[in-house]
Amino acid sequence: MVLKQISRHDFLRLVGLGGGALFLSACVPDNLKSAAFPTAGTQTTGTELYGTPEVEIALSAIEGETQILPGKATRVWRYLAEVLNGPTESLKVIPDSYLGPIFNVQKGQTIRVHFTNELSEESIVHWHGLHVPIEADGHPRFAIKPGETYVYDFTVLDRAGTYWYHPHPHRRTGPQVYYGLAGLFVVSDDEEGALDLPSGDYDLPLVIQDRLFDEDNQLVYGGRGMMDQMMGFLGNRVLVNGQPDFTLPVATRPYRLRLHNGSNSRVYKLGWEDGTPLTVIATDGGLLERPIQKDYVTLAPAQRIEVWVDFNGRAVGEQLRLVNLPSAAPDSGVLYPIMTVQVEREENVSAQLPELLSTLSLRSEADAVNRRSPREFRLAMDRGMNWTINGRTFEMTATARDEVVKLGDLEVWQFNNQDGGGMGMMGGGMALPHPMHVHGLQYQIIERKISSAGRSAWDTLSDGFVDEGWHDTVLVMPGEQVKVLLKFEDFTGLYLYHCHNLEHEDMGMMRNYLVEA
Ligand code: C2O
Ligand code: CU
Ligand code: CU
C-alpha cells in the first residue's frame, strides 16, 4: 500500500505500514521501555537511486521512557536505528541517552535510510547541514503520518564534520526535538584521517540541551504559553548527551570534543571555569584551516564547534568544569555549569595538533552575482506578535519572487535583525537573537555590523563567535546585520531557510527558497 504520492521522484521509495520495524526490537536498551513499539507489516518498495547503497539503515521515531533523574523514569521520544547493510560501526549508540544513535559515515558513501514514524503524530527527518537532494532533505511537505515509512537515498557529499539529524514537521519541530528526537551525523574523510586527530574513545560528542522537569520527572514544554513562543523555550536544567550533572572521565592526553548545541533556543557562552583557553578546530561544516584560540565560544542553537583539548599535565583526581559564562543572551545572566571533566587516569600520550588542519576552498565575495546588492532578509516581529522574515510567515510550498535563486550562482545574503537595542522588549518589538540556518549547503560568514543600540549586549558574547570556516547556522544578534556567502550547487528545488530557535521556526520564522536551473 503506497501511502503518499511522490512517485515522480526516482530517489524515493515508499514503504507500507510498519515496514522495517521488526529489526528494531533488538536494539531497545534496557533502560527504555517502549510505549508504542512497532508491529510487523508488509513492505512495498518503490524506485531506488542506488541498486545497493553502501550503508542501509532502518531508523524509527518511537515514544518510550528512559531514566534521566533519580526516581521515576521520564517519558521521551527517541530515534532507534539499526544497520541493515554495510559496516556495523555506521551507527554508534550513546549509552543511557534518549539521543538517537550517532551516524558514522565516510564521505562518498551512498546511504539509504528507511525512516518509520512510530509516533502518534506526523514527522519527517532532516539531515542538518548536509548537501542532499531535495527529496532527501526532510522538508515539512514530506512529513509522514504515524505508521508510514519514508526512504532517503543520498550520497555523502560533505566533508568530514559533525552534522546532525532531527524532525522537521511544520509547527511541531520544537516539541519533537524537545522530547528527545535528535542525533549526530558524523562524516569522516581522507583529509581528516591523515591528521591523526584523537579518535575512538578520545573523540567525544557532547550534545548540550536544556530541559524543564515537573515533580514527577516528566518533561515540561510550552508551559509559559505566549512567552515560550516569543522567547523560545528555556529550560532550567542542562543535560549533556541526555544526562544531568554530566561528568566526563578523561585520561592525561589530548581529546577531540564535538560540542553541539541541541537546545531549542538557548545560546551558550562556553568556557573552562579556570580560564584555560579553548582550541577550536572545527565549525558546522568541518575543520578550520588552522586551530583558533578562544577564551570562550558562543554556541547558538543547532551550531557545532569542535575543540581539541590536552589534559596532559593535569593531576589524576583533578576536576575541571565547562561552564556557561554570563552574557546578555536570554536567561544567561549568571554562570552555571555545563559539565565536569574528571581526570581519572594517567596516559601521558602526547600528540601535537597540526598547524594546518585543512585547505578550504573558500569563495570570494567579489565573485558573487549580487555583490552590489545583497539579498536582504529582515528579521522582525510583526504586529500580530509573529516572528517573520521580510514580513512573511511560512507557507508550505510558496516562494516569493525574491526567494528564487539560480543553480550555480554565488550570492551574498544579508540577515538583518531589525529590532535593535538591548535584549527584551524594545520600542514595540522584541529584541532577540536569531540563529539563521539555510538548508542544503554550507556558507561563509563574511561580515558583521552591529548597531550602536545593540552594541553592549553584543559585546558580552561576540568574542566567542567563530566565523572562520564553513557554517550552516549563524547567530544574528539584536541590531546586527550579518552577511553570508553561499553557492547553490548540484540540486534544484525547494529548500528552507529559517531561524533555528525552534519556537520561532514553529511560529513561522521560516521560508522556502527555490533553486532554479
Ligand atoms: Cu536543523 Cu531546518 O533545520
Ligand atoms: Cu537544516
Ligand atoms: Cu528567531
Side-chain angles (χ1 to χ4, degrees):
M1 182 174 80
V2 172
L3 296 166
K4 202 161 192 275
Q5 208 58 47
I6 328 175
S7 52
R8 67 185 184 281
H9 300 300
D10 285 350
F11 301 98
L12 292 179
R13 60 177 188 169
L14 297 166
V15 181
L17 277 167
L22 205 56
F23 313 104
L24 299 172
S25 50
C27 46
V28 185
D30 290 345
N31 67 341
L32 185 97
K33 283 161 260 148
S34 165
F37 209 72
T39 45
T42 47
Q43 203 165 304
T44 314
T45 56
T47 321
E48 296 157 7
L49 183 55
Y50 316 107
T52 314
E54 286 157 273
V55 183
E56 188 165 9
I57 283 170
L59 175 72
S60 72
I62 67 155
E63 299 172 7
E65 53 180 40
T66 190
Q67 196 74 46
I68 300 175
L69 302 173
K72 206 163 174 203
T74 303
R75 284 188 297 279
V76 294
W77 294 0
R78 56 170 297 173
Y79 288 124
L80 294 181
E82 164 125 1
V83 179
L84 303 178
N85 274 304
T88 49
E89 60 274 15
S90 305
L91 286 177
K92 199 171 139 202
V93 172
I94 302 180
D96 305 317
S97 177
Y98 55 75
L99 289 170
I102 302 172
F103 282 62
N104 253 311
V105 301
Q106 300 289 322
K107 182 177 178 179
Q109 272 178 334
T110 51
I111 311 279
R112 175 170 304 146
V113 179
H114 307 257
F115 167 61
T116 302
N117 178 8
E118 298 293 340
L119 306 171
S120 50
E121 61 182 57
E122 64 168 26
S123 195
I124 191 72
V125 178
H126 166 58
W127 313 97
H128 180 119
L130 293 183
H131 182 49
V132 294
I134 186 63
E135 295 81 1
D137 188 55
H139 189 285
R141 75 182 187 278
F142 295 135
I144 55 170
K145 296 195 181 73
E148 292 182 0
T149 297
Y150 191 99
V151 178
Y152 299 83
D153 266 21
F154 59 92
T155 304
V156 180
L157 298 173
D158 291 273
R159 58 201 293 266
T162 310
Y163 306 89
W164 64 299
Y165 63 101
H166 63 78
H168 221 303
H170 186 38
R171 295 194 191 284
R172 294 293 293 167
T173 297
Q176 290 193 6
V177 171
Y178 181 73
Y179 289 121
L181 294 171
L184 293 178
F185 192 105
V186 173
V187 177
S188 312
D189 64 15
D190 294 343
E191 185 196 39
E192 180 198 60
L195 290 176
D196 216 14
L197 293 170
S199 62
D201 292 345
Y202 309 108
D203 174 356
L204 301 170
L206 295 167
V207 179
I208 305 169
Q209 297 174 310
D210 59 336
R211 293 292 183 265
L212 183 62
F213 294 88
D214 67 14
E215 283 158 16
D216 226 16
N217 287 355
Q218 301 311 309
L219 291 164
V220 178
Y221 182 78
R224 297 183 307 164
M226 257 313 253
M227 198 59 179
D228 272 348
Q229 282 191 307
M230 292 194 309
M231 299 280 293
F233 169 88
L234 291 163
N236 65 354
R237 179 145 207 167
V238 173
L239 305 184
V240 173
N241 293 347
Q243 291 172 16
D245 309 315
F246 188 78
T247 300
L248 185 68
V250 299
T252 53
R253 54 155 294 143
Y255 280 78
R256 175 182 190 171
L257 304 182
R258 300 175 188 255
L259 303 170
H260 166 47
N261 184 350
S263 308
N264 283 33
S265 86
R266 187 176 288 271
V267 175
Y268 299 94
K269 174 178 173 179
L270 302 171
W272 295 112
E273 195 175 27
D274 71 357
T276 304
L278 295 135
T279 305
V280 179
I281 58 168
T283 52
D284 296 340
L287 292 169
L288 296 169
E289 208 136 48
R290 292 166 192 285
I292 293 175
Q293 295 281 115
K294 288 277 184 185
D295 289 337
Y296 66 89
V297 293
T298 301
L299 202 62
Q303 289 184 322
R304 289 85 66 207
I305 278 183
E306 295 182 32
V307 298
W308 185 89
V309 50
D310 191 356
F311 297 111
N312 265 300
R314 302 256 175 199
V316 170
E318 197 178 332
Q319 287 195 337
L320 184 60
R321 287 206 304 178
L322 184 71
V323 295
N324 180 80
L325 298 161
S327 79
D331 199 25
S332 236
V334 293
L335 181 145
Y336 55 85
I338 302 290
M339 65 164 192
T340 303
V341 170
Q342 166 89 33
V343 183
E344 209 184 45
R345 58 182 203 282
E346 296 267 350
E347 249 180 52
N348 300 328
V349 173
S350 59
Q352 217 59 53
L353 180 62
E355 256 171 68
L356 187 68
L357 297 169
S358 178
T359 323
L360 306 183
S361 8
L362 296 174
R363 295 156 187 146
S364 157
E365 186 180 357
D367 297 330
V369 294
N370 64 344
R371 64 188 180 282
R372 288 206 183 80
S373 51
R375 215 177 269 270
E376 169 101 3
F377 300 94
R378 287 171 287 110
L379 316 173
M381 185 171 267
D382 70 9
R383 290 213 196 106
M385 305 279 258
N386 291 304
W387 288 110
T388 58
I389 302 175
N390 282 342
R392 303 176 184 120
T393 186
F394 183 62
E395 298 168 88
M396 191 59 88
T397 53
T399 40
R401 206 173 300 165
D402 58 11
E403 293 172 314
V404 180
V405 302
K406 224 174 142 249
L407 184 68
D409 275 0
L410 178 71
E411 286 205 7
V412 182
W413 284 18
Q414 173 163 289
F415 298 115
N416 185 354
N417 191 346
Q418 294 208 308
D419 290 319
M423 214 81 58
M425 300 295 293
M426 291 293 301
M430 185 180 253
L432 284 178
H434 299 294
M436 296 306 295
H437 170 51
V438 182
H439 276 220
L441 50 80
Q442 295 285 327
Y443 53 71
Q444 288 160 248
I445 301 168
I446 53 173
E447 190 188 294
R448 289 179 183 270
K449 266 193 203 143
I450 183 72
S451 70
S452 50
R455 167 71 66 172
S456 64
W458 190 83
D459 278 343
T460 66
L461 42 70
S462 59
D463 282 348
F465 293 149
V466 183
D467 287 345
E468 291 83 353
W470 292 108
H471 300 264
D472 53 55
T473 308
V474 66
L475 187 63
V476 187
M477 288 291 285
E480 192 173 29
Q481 289 182 12
V482 179
K483 276 188 196 167
V484 301
L485 187 63
L486 21 64
K487 189 167 186 182
F488 312 100
E489 293 180 297
D490 305 313
F491 308 120
T492 54
L494 208 57
Y495 288 90
L496 296 167
Y497 66 101
H498 60 88
C499 176
H500 220 291
N501 175 318
L502 296 181
E503 286 67 43
H504 294 182
E505 172 187 333
D506 280 345
M507 200 199 253
M509 200 176 200
M510 169 160 80
R511 293 287 301 174
N512 292 309
Y513 73 95
L514 176 66
V515 185
E516 275 186 350

